[in-house]
C-alpha cells in the first residue's frame, strides 16, 4: 500500500529537484549581473583618498581589492606625425574585474598590461588612426607601446560611460606620466570582492554617515541593476513566479492522486467502521500513512536533488543560459523540503474529508459513501487553512505583504471560477443535451454528471494548469518584449558632440553621406546652480550636515530646451510647459526625478541658475523619469522653448553605426571637415549591457520551459488517475450492447468537452492575470496576440483528448465476466 501511494510522492521528488535547480540558476544569473559592476562594492572619490578614507577602505571585509584612477588626457601617436586623441585614461592596480573578464584582442594583452608593458585602447581609436599592436603611444612623459584593443569591458554601463574612448594603463607607471598633480581632475575608485555579497548593502547602510562625511560615493550591483531599469528586477520576480507555479501545479497533482487513492480505500474504511473504529481513528490511519510518505518523499527528494543536480548542467549545455557551478544548494533545498512537506500535508488532509463521511452501510451499498455534510465542512476548514498558509508564504516572499495576499486571492478566484464553470457545465449537459444527437455524444456528455464523476477534478486540473502555464507564457512574452524591444537594433549607439550652431547642417549632411541615420539631436547649454529655494549654493555647501550631496551643487549642468518629451522619458509629476518667456516670471522647467530627489526639490520649488554669468530664475513645473540606459541626449534639466535660444550653445547628435570600423570611418570624415567635433562610440558599452540582458532572456525562456514540462506532467496525471474508475462503466455498457467504437467516441466527446471548457476558462483567466502582473508588478506594457490564445486553447484541448484516450486504452478490451465476478466477490 505504501508503494502504491508513492505515486503522489514521485511528483514531489521532481518538484524538489526543480526547486533546487531554480535556486542554482537564479544564483548563476545573479552572478552574471555582477559583470555590470565587475565587483561587489566600489568606493569612489573625486579627490585622492584621505587617511580616514583609506582606513575605512582597509576595514572592508573583502577577499580581493583593486584600485583605479581615471582622468582625461591626450594620447599621442608618434608614428602618425604626433597625432593626438582625447582619451579617458584608467590606471588599474589589481586583478579587476572580479566578475567577468577584461576581453582584449589579442587576449594576452591583459596579462602584458598587468606586467606594466604598455596600454590597451578602445578599438575605435585603432580603426580611426590605423594603429597596430606594437605601435608607440605617449601619455605625458611616459613613452610606451600599444598592446591591443578592448573587446568587452565588465563594469561599464550606459549611465557610467565617459565622453571619450577608454585607455587602460598600469597604475605602477602612472607616476612616470607626470599627468596627475595636486589640482588634477581625476576620479579614484577602490573595488572590493566580498565573501558574502548579500552583506554589501547592510555595510553601506551601517557606514552611511561616515561615507557622507568622507565624501565617498558607493556603487553596488543592486544600484547597477536599478540603472538597467526594471529588467533584472523583473527577472527575479519571474523566477519567483516560476517557483510559485511549480508549487501550485505540484499541489494539484498531489490532491488529484490522493483523491483517487482515498476513493479506492473507502471500502476498507467502511469495514473498519463496521468493526468499531471511530471516524477519528479511521482518518488517523490514513493520515499517519500519508505523513510517513510525505516525510519519505521529502527525504528521497533531497537525496535525488543532491545526486542529480550536479549532473544536469553537463547534460544540457545548449539549454542552460549561464555557466552553472555543479553544486548542491543546501539552503534552498531545505526550504523546498519544508514547503513541500507542508504542501503535502495540506493537500493530503483535503481529500481525507471523504473518509470522515464514510458510512458503515457502504460495505453493502457502494453509493452510500458519497459526500456528506461532514465531508463538506472538513473541506471548507482545510481549504481555509490552505489559503491562510499560502497567504503567509506569499506575503513573506513578496516585496510587500499585500502583494502576496493579492496573488493568493487571485489564485483562489481562479479556483472558484473553474469550479463554477465545472458546476455550470454539469447542469447544462444534464438539462440541454438534445435527444437527437448520436448516442456516443450523449453518452460522453452524460458521463460528465454520472454518479462519482470526476468533472470537477479534471476540469479544475486542466483549467488551472492552463491558467498557470498560459499566464507564465504571456508574462514571459511581456518581459522578453521589455528586454528586447522591437526597435532595439535601431537605437543610437554613437554620440557626436561639440557641434557649433553653424556646423549642425554640415555635420548632419556628413553623417548621412556616410550612410548613417540622424536619430536624434538637441542643443546643449552649460550652467550651474546658483541658489535653491532662495538659499545660495555657498551657504548650502557650508553646512556640515546638509542632506544635499555636494557634487549636485558643484557640478556643471548641461541642459537643453524643447517643447515636448522624448521617447526615453515620461512625466511623473506636475506638467511640461512647451513655451515660455523670461518676462512672464520664473521660467517653468522640468527636472529628472532622481536629481530632484538629491536636491530636495519638488514641484513649485524655486531654482536660480547661473548661465555663463547670467542669472535666471526658474521654478520646477514638473518631474521627469528618464530611462538612462537608452543612448539618447538625456538631460537632468529641460527648459521650455523661447528662453535659451540666445545663449551660447552646442549641439549633440545621435546616430547608429554597425561596428567599430564604421565608427572610425565616420570619425575620419568628421575630422576632415569639422576638427572640433568629437564622436563617442558606445558599441562596446552596449555589447556588455546586451550580454547581461541576453542572459536574463535566456533564463526566462529556460525556466518557463522547465515549468511547462512540469505542468504537462501534472495535467496528464489528473486524467490518468481516473483510469480505473472507468473499467466497470465500460464493461456495463459493453454488456448492454455498446460497441467499442461507440465507447471510444463517447470518451472522445467527454474529454473534448472537458478540454475545451478547461482551456477556454484557463486562458481567459490567464489574460486577466498576465495583464495585472504586467500593469502592477512588472510595470510593462501588456499586449497579447490572439493567435497565442487560440493556440493555447487548441493545444490544451488536443492534449486533454489525447491523454484521455491514451489513458483509456485497453478499457474496452476488459472481460465483462472478470469485472462482474470481481464485483460479486467484493
Amino acid at each position: 500500500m505504501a508503494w502504491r501511494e508513492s505515486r503522489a510522492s514521485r511528483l514531489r521528488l521532481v518538484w524538489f529537484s526543480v526547486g533546487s535547480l531554480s535556486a542554482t540558476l537564479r544564483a548563476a544569473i545573479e552572478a552574471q549581473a555582477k559583470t555590470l559592476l565587475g565587483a561587489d562594492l566600489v568606493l569612489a572619490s573625486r579627490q585622492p583618498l584621505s587617511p580616514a578614507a583609506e582606513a575605512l577602505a582597509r576595514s572592508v571585509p573583502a577577499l580581493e581589492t583593486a584600485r583605479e584612477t581615471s582622468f582625461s588626457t591626450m594620447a599621442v601617436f608618434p608614428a602618425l606625425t604626433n597625432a593626438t586623441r582625447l582619451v579617458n585614461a584608467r590606471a588599474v592596480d589589481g586583478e579587476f574585474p572580479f566578475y567577468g573578464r577584461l576581453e582584449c584582442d589579442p587576449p594576452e594583452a591583459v596579462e602584458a598590461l598587468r606586467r606594466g608593458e604598455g596600454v590597451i585602447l578602445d578599438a575605435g581609436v585603432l580603426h580611426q588612426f590605423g594603429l597596430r599592436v606594437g605601435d608607440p603611444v605617449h601619455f605625458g612623459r611616459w613613452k610606451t607601446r600599444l598592446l591591443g584593443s578592448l573587446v568587452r569591458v565588465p563594469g561599464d554601463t550606459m549611465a557610467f560611460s565617459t565622453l571619450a574612448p577608454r585607455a587602460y594603463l598600469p597604475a605602477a607607471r602612472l607616476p612616470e606620466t607626470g599627468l596627475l598633480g595636486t589640482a588634477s581632475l581625476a576620479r579614484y575608485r577602490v573595488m572590493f570582492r566580498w565573501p558574502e555579497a548579500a552583506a554589501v548593502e547592510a555595510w553601506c547602510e551601517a557606514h552611511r554617515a561616515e561615507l557622507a562625511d568622507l565624501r565617498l560615493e558607493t556603487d553596488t550591483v543592486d544600484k547597477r541593476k536599478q540603472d538597467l531599469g526594471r529588467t533584472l528586477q523583473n527577472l527575479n520576480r519571474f523566477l519567483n513566479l516560476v517557483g510559485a507555479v511549480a508549487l501550485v501545479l505540484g499541489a494539484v497533482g498531489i490532491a488529484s492522486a490522493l483523491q483517487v487513492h482515498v476513493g479506492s480505500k473507502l471500502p476498507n474504511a467502511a469495514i473498519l467502521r463496521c468493526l468499531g473504529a471511530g471516524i477519528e481513528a479511521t482518518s488517523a490511519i490514513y493520515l499517519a500513512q500519508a505523513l510517513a510518505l510525505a516525510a519519505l518523499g521529502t527525504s528521497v527528494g533531497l537525496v535525488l536533488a543532491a545526486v542529480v543536480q550536479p549532473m544536469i548542467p553537463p547534460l544540457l549545455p545548449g539549454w542552460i543560459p549561464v555557466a552553472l557551478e555543479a553544486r548542491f544548494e543546501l539552503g534552498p533545498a531545505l526550504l523546498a523540503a519544508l514547503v513541500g512537506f507542508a504542501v503535502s500535508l495540506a493537500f493530503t488532509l483535503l481529500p481525507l474529508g471523504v473518509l470522515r463521511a464514510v458510512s458503515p452501510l457502504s460495505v453493502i451499498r457502494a453509493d452510500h459513501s458519497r459526500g456528506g455534510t461532514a465531508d463538506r465542512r472538513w473541506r471548507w476548514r482545510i481549504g481555509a487553512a490552505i489559503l491562510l498558509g499560502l497567504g503567509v508564504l506569499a506575503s513573506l516572499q513578496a516585496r510587500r505583504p499585500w502583494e502576496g495576499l493579492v496573488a493568493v486571492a487571485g489564485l483562489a478566484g481562479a479556483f472558484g471560477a473553474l469550479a463554477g464553470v465545472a458546476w455550470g457545465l454539469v447542469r447544462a449537459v444534464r438539462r440541454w443535451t438534445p435527444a437527437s444527437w448520436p448516442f456516443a455524444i450523449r453518452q460522453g456528455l452524460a458521463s460528465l454528471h454520472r454518479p462519482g464523476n470526476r468533472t470537477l477534478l479534471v476540469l479544475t486540473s486542466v483549467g488551472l494548469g492552463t491558467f498557470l502555464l498560459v499566464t507564465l507564457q504571456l508574462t514571459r512574452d511581456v518581459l522578453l518584449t521589455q528586454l528586447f524591444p522591437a526597435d532595439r537594433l535601431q537605437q543610437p549607439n554613437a554620440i557626436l558632440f561639440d557641434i557649433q550652431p553653424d556646423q549642425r547642417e554640415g555635420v548632419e549632411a556628413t553623417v548621412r553621406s556616410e550612410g548613417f541615420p540622424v536619430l536624434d539631436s538637441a542643443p546643449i547649454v552649460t550652467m550651474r546652480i546658483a541658489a535653491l529655494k532662495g538659499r545660495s549654493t555657498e551657504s548650502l555647501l557650508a553646512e556640515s550636515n546638509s542632506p544635499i550631496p555636494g557634487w549636485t551643487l558643484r557640478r556643471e549642468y548641461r541642459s537643453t530646451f524643447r517643447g515636448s518629451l522624448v521617447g526615453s522619458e515620461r512625466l511623473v509629476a506636475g506638467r511640461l510647459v512647451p513655451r515660455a518667456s523670461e518676462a512672464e516670471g520664473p521660467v517653468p522647467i522640468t527636472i529628472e526625478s532622481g536629481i530632484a530627489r538629491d536636491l530636495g526639490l519638488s514641484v513649485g520649488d524655486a531654482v536660480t541658475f547661473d548661465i555663463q554669468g547670467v542669472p535666471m530664475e526658474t521654478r520646477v513645473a514638473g518631474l521627469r523619469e528618464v530611462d538612462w540606459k537608452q543612448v539618447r541626449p538625456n538631460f537632468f534639466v529641460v527648459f521650455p522653448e523661447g528662453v535659451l535660444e540666445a545663449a551660447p550653445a552646442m549641439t549633440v547628435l545621435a546616430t547608429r553605426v554597425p561596428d567599430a570600423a564604421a565608427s572610425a570611418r565616420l570619425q575620419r570624415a568628421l575630422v576632415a571637415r569639422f576638427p572640433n567635433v568629437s564622436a563617442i562610440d558606445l558599441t562596446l558599452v552596449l555589447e556588455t549591457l546586451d550580454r547581461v540582458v541576453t542572459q536574463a532572456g535566456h533564463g526566462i525562456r529556460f525556466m518557463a520551459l522547465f515549468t511547462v514540462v512540469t505542468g504537462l506532467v501534472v495535467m496528464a496525471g489528473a486524467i490518468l488517475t481516473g483510469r480505473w474508475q472507468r473499467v466497470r462503466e465500460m464493461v456495463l455498457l459493453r454488456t448492454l450492447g455498446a460497441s467499442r467504437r461507440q465507447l471510444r467516441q463517447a470518451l472522445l466527446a467527454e474529454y473534448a468537452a472537458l478540454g475545451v471548457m478547461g482551456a477556454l476558462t484557463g486562458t481567459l483567466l490567464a489574460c486577466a492575470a498576465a495583464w495585472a502582473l504586467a500593469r502592477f508588478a512588472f510595470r510593462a506594457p501588456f499586449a497579447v496576440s490572439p493567435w497565442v490564445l487560440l493556440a493555447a486553447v487548441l493545444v490544451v484541448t488536443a492534449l486533454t483528448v489525447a491523454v484521455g484516450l491514451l489513458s483509456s486504452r485497453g478499457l474496452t478490451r476488459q472481460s465483462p465476466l472478470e469485472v462482474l465476478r470481481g464485483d460479486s466477490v467484493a
Side-chain angles (χ1 to χ4, degrees), residues 36-37 155-161 218-233 592 594 597 626-630 634 636 689 693:
L36 291 171
L37 185 62
D156 264 357
T157 61
M158 284 311 309
F160 297 86
S161 61
T218 61
D219 201 1
T220 64
V221 175
D222 285 346
K223 286 185 178 180
R224 285 296 176 94
K225 290 191 292 186
Q226 291 172 9
D227 286 312
L228 276 180
R230 299 185 179 90
T231 51
L232 293 181
Q233 294 177 18
E592 190 267 337
R597 184 168 52 251
V626 178
D627 185 2
W628 294 103
K629 69 177 181 294
Q630 292 193 32
N634 295 315
F636 284 128
L689 180 63
V693 171

Side-chain angles (χ1 to χ4, degrees), residues 425-502:
L425 179 62
V426 169
R427 289 180 62 87
V429 298
R430 178 179 291 170
R431 291 188 176 186
W432 297 312
T433 303
S436 59
W437 285 7
F439 163 76
I441 296 179
R442 287 186 287 113
Q443 178 59 35
L445 296 178
S447 297
L448 297 175
H449 60 80
R450 72 183 187 279
N453 69 81
R454 292 174 51 78
T455 301
L456 176 61
L457 177 61
V458 174
L459 192 145
T460 302
S461 300
V462 172
L464 185 64
T466 304
F467 162 66
L468 293 172
L469 295 178
V470 173
T471 299
L472 206 62
Q473 176 66 29
L474 296 180
T475 305
R476 166 189 174 275
D477 292 343
V478 166
L479 293 184
L480 291 180
T481 301
Q482 187 182 36
L483 287 170
F484 308 110
D487 63 343
R488 175 166 163 255
L489 298 180
Q490 285 75 45
Q491 292 183 359
N493 63 358
I495 301 293
L496 310 181
F497 64 101
D498 277 346
I499 305 172
Q500 300 305 309
D502 60 341

Side-chain angles (χ1 to χ4, degrees), residues 450 452 454 719-735 743 747 750-751 807-823:
R450 72 183 187 279
R454 292 174 51 78
I719 298 173
L720 286 168
T721 51
R723 171 184 172 86
W724 300 112
Q725 294 185 349
R726 296 304 182 89
V727 175
R728 188 171 183 272
E729 180 182 340
M730 295 291 103
V731 165
L732 291 177
L733 289 174
R734 282 195 59 201
T735 304
L743 294 179
L747 288 172
E750 178 184 357
Y751 286 120
S807 67
S808 303
R809 288 186 61 187
L811 294 183
T812 57
R813 293 194 294 270
Q814 292 285 339
S815 170
L817 186 59
E818 180 182 350
V819 175
L820 294 176
R821 280 177 176 173
D823 284 349

Side-chain angles (χ1 to χ4, degrees), residues 61 90 138 157 160 184 220 258 299 388 400 408 530 532 572 575 599 630 663 723 742 746-747 792:
R90 303 186 179 188
H138 294 179
T157 61
F160 297 86
S184 299
T220 64
L258 286 178
S299 303
L388 179 62
R400 303 179 184 90
V408 172
L532 288 178
V572 294
R575 64 192 182 98
L599 291 169
Q630 292 193 32
S663 175
R723 171 184 172 86
Q742 288 176 315
L747 288 172

Side-chain angles (χ1 to χ4, degrees), residues 357-389:
V358 70
S359 170
L361 288 176
S362 61
V363 174
I364 56 176
R365 293 181 58 191
D367 291 340
H368 198 80
S369 62
R370 301 297 177 189
T373 304
D375 179 22
R376 286 193 294 271
R377 285 201 301 265
W378 175 266
R379 288 176 179 269
W380 277 108
R381 292 169 185 165
I382 298 302
I386 290 175
L387 285 178
L388 179 62

Side-chain angles (χ1 to χ4, degrees), residues 25 29 32 231-232 234-236 238-239 319-322 476-477 479-484 488 689-705:
L25 180 63
I29 294 175
Q32 288 290 323
T231 51
L232 293 181
N234 285 347
L235 170 63
N236 189 58
F238 184 83
L239 291 178
W319 290 90
I320 298 294
V322 293
R476 166 189 174 275
D477 292 343
L479 293 184
L480 291 180
T481 301
Q482 187 182 36
L483 287 170
F484 308 110
R488 175 166 163 255
L689 180 63
D690 186 71
R691 184 184 186 185
V692 176
V693 171
T694 301
Q695 297 285 17
H698 286 328
I700 289 175
R701 293 186 181 99
F702 175 76
M703 290 307 299
L705 174 64

